[in-house]
Amino acid sequence: MPVKKISILGATGSVGQSTAQVILAQPELFDIQAVTANSNAELLAQQAIKLKAKQAVVADSSAYQILKESLSGTGIEASCGRQALLEAASAPCDLVMAAIVGFAGLEPIMKAIGSGANVALANKEPLVAAGALVMEAAKKNGCHILPVDSEHNAIFQVFDEGQRRGIERLILTASGGPFRTWTTEQMATATLEQAVTHPNWSMGHKISVDSATLMNKALEVIEAHYLFNMDADKIDVVIHPQSIIHSMVAYEDGSILAQMGAPDMQTPIAYCLGWPDRIRTPGLKLDLKKLIKLDLEPVDTEKFPAIGLAYSCLEKGAAACVAFNAANEVAVEAFLERKTGFTDIVETVRKVFDTIEFVPLETLDDIVSFDGAVRTLAKSYMNNDQHRKKVYLA
Ligand code: NAD
Ligand code: MG
């Protein structure tokens, strides 16, 4: 593989750090342009030095002093603020790893696409909120969106575009999260610690909570719709507690192609970093001699209403998807701050979904301003709701 010039947005996060591990196992294959983070300047500086990056950016300006001091004498350029982040995202590169969490990653992704780079996309929320815009911009600029999310990466690996007409369904697998076997009553008492302890994957807090509500899978249904241009009624979700089959594509002749691997993000990350070649990872590998069981079971959509809401969003259109994501981000943040109960998260999303007016959205500005309006509404529900569940502490 020829040397690839790469920037990593959200380098200090869970996906960002796994990306750095894959790169550092074979640094001769990569030339790192920019690494960015929100505020963890110390870790970012260490990463920038190890990865021999040209520049490091913290979005939060209050972290700049530490970044600057930590990088002094290294020759690595330090900068800060949202504008610096957007500039770093558009610095000339072959590939940008988009691993910021949340809607905050949308504009950086659009900048990366605008620069003509391919985008390895972990950051699913922007695709949920602005899937059509992102995919159209990628097409217009001739760049590939390479899915990092393990399910979509699995589908990408077995989705034969040349045989699209023969593809009947996409089947997303879901581990079921930490509360798969809990009752709704038990879930109402879930603590933050219980919600962020995922049975198979080690991830950032926001996506861990999303995995516990199954909101993560709900977001992934919408993500799959946009990434693979598939109608909602051709996307299924199945529970697979072992997280070994990462997802599947069903063809009309009855063949179902699956991608398997250990639950380690280094595999889909390496696939995207190497694409169209394959590269090594120092991560976990599946030992089939030790493989015990592959269970598949239907999702309990009554216990996990987020899944049904995702299909309703795809029926209603783009504004519903923006609202779905924005309300969830607000509610998860409140839960992470111990200001609301676990089952309030999806209830808030449903309440927003039931009351919001779904306006037509065309431009990035339309989406950003609608996202802001939904956040205000979701916050007002969270602050005023008399029926809010008790917050359970560990
Ligand atoms: P994380 O919280 O561990 O890391 C997030 C990164 O984004 C950090 O580097 C942080 O500094 C940066 N960041 C946060 N807010 C920012 C802002 N406003 N501006 C600029 N930078 C900001 O998150 P993660 O678990 O690595 O997940 C990242 C994305 O990848 C999410 O969208 C998640 O859904 C998706 N994803 C993660 C995994 C996983 O295994 N962690 C798997 C699939 C998809
Ligand atoms: Mg996933």
Side-chain angles (χ1 to χ4, degrees):
M1 177 177 104
V3 173
K4 263 186 203 170
K5 200 165 177 181
I6 292 190
S7 288
I8 310 172
L9 312 180
T12 56
S14 167
V15 171
Q17 292 190 57
S18 295
T19 303
Q21 282 170 347
V22 175
I23 291 172
L24 290 170
Q26 49 223 310
E28 68 285 358
L29 296 181
F30 303 100
D31 173 13
I32 309 303
Q33 174 65 35
V35 288
T36 81
N38 191 31
S39 57
N40 191 345
E42 277 165 24
L43 178 57
L44 185 69
Q46 285 169 21
Q47 287 181 306
I49 293 166
K50 274 200 218 155
L51 290 163
K52 301 194 170 68
K54 311 245 176 334
Q55 52 167 325
V57 181
V58 277
D60 178 351
S61 301
S62 68
Y64 177 62
Q65 204 53 33
I66 298 177
L67 184 69
K68 200 175 146 206
E69 280 162 20
S70 314
L71 290 176
S72 87
T74 63
I76 301 169
E77 186 192 323
S79 53
C80 68
R82 182 79 180 164
Q83 194 51 38
L85 168 66
L86 296 178
E87 278 164 26
S90 45
C93 264
D94 298 308
L95 182 73
V96 173
M97 168 58 74
I100 290 175
V101 60
F103 185 81
L106 173 59
E107 286 164 288
I109 288 170
M110 294 302 283
K111 288 285 180 194
I113 292 173
S115 78
N118 289 339
V119 176
L121 191 89
N123 187 191
K124 67 189 80 181
E125 296 88 351
L127 204 60
V128 170
L133 203 76
V134 170
M135 297 310 286
E136 265 165 37
K139 199 169 165 192
K140 196 173 125 222
N141 287 279
C143 33
H144 295 276
I145 304 288
L146 306 171
V148 175
D149 208 352
S150 59
E151 297 75 5
H152 307 76
N153 184 267
I155 291 171
F156 189 71
Q157 293 196 37
V158 294
F159 190 113
D160 185 344
E161 191 60 58
Q163 296 185 338
R164 173 177 273 277
R165 282 177 50 219
I167 292 177
E168 270 187 349
R169 329 194 56 72
L170 306 183
I171 305 160
L172 295 170
T173 55
S175 71
F179 305 142
R180 179 174 60 89
T181 58
W182 289 33
T183 62
T184 309
E185 293 69 37
Q186 284 173 310
M187 279 198 284
T189 70
T191 64
L192 172 57
E193 287 70 18
Q194 287 166 329
V196 298
T197 309
H198 195 278
N200 304 334
W201 299 92
S202 153
M203 309 181 286
H205 275 180
K206 196 259 173 184
I207 185 174
S208 297
V209 174
D210 285 346
S211 298
T213 52
L214 255 65
M215 194 68 193
N216 182 48
K217 210 51 53 180
L219 296 171
E220 289 182 358
V221 167
I222 301 173
E223 186 185 7
H225 163 74
Y226 286 116
L227 277 175
F228 301 106
N229 192 18
M230 289 290 279
D231 291 340
D233 64 355
K234 292 187 165 179
I235 305 172
D236 294 337
V237 176
V238 62
I239 298 288
H240 168 47
Q242 292 86 4
S243 300
I244 285 172
I245 301 173
H246 295 306
S247 278
M248 297 170 266
V249 174
Y251 289 82
E252 63 184 355
D253 62 3
S255 300
I256 296 180
L257 302 194
Q259 183 262 357
M260 298 197 292
D264 186 332
M265 285 306 291
Q266 288 192 28
T267 299
I269 289 169
Y271 185 87
C272 295
L273 294 181
W275 186 85
D277 293 329
R278 293 218 183 232
I279 58 170
R280 281 180 295 113
T281 83
L284 293 175
K285 300 280 153 63
L286 196 58
D287 181 354
L288 284 170
K289 291 190 287 300
K290 286 193 193 141
L291 188 64
I292 349 101
K293 259 176 138 190
L294 294 175
D295 293 319
L296 295 168
E297 54 190 66
V299 195
D300 183 340
T301 48
E302 272 182 31
K303 206 165 84 176
F304 294 107
I307 300 285
L309 278 172
Y311 287 96
S312 307
C313 285
L314 286 175
E315 230 171 76
K316 295 250 185 227
C321 296
V322 175
F324 187 60
N325 177 67
N328 183 56
E329 285 194 32
V330 168
V332 171
E333 202 177 306
F335 178 72
L336 289 174
E337 290 169 0
R338 301 185 199 273
K339 289 185 183 154
T340 196
F342 179 74
T343 44
D344 292 324
I345 300 172
V346 178
E347 271 174 40
T348 304
V349 175
R350 181 195 292 285
K351 221 179 277 172
V352 167
F353 182 83
D354 287 344
T355 48
I356 202 105
E357 201 185 317
F358 298 117
V359 296
L361 302 174
E362 272 157 33
T363 64
L364 181 62
D365 287 348
D366 290 346
I367 292 171
V368 171
S369 86
F370 187 65
D371 170 87
V374 174
R375 279 168 202 264
T376 308
L377 180 73
K379 279 181 196 155
S380 76
Y381 282 151
M382 309 229 61
N383 293 337
N384 297 332
D385 196 345
Q386 300 302 312
H387 306 291
R388 210 146 23 107
K389 302 279 179 311
K390 201 172 143 212
V391 176
Y392 287 81
L393 302 175

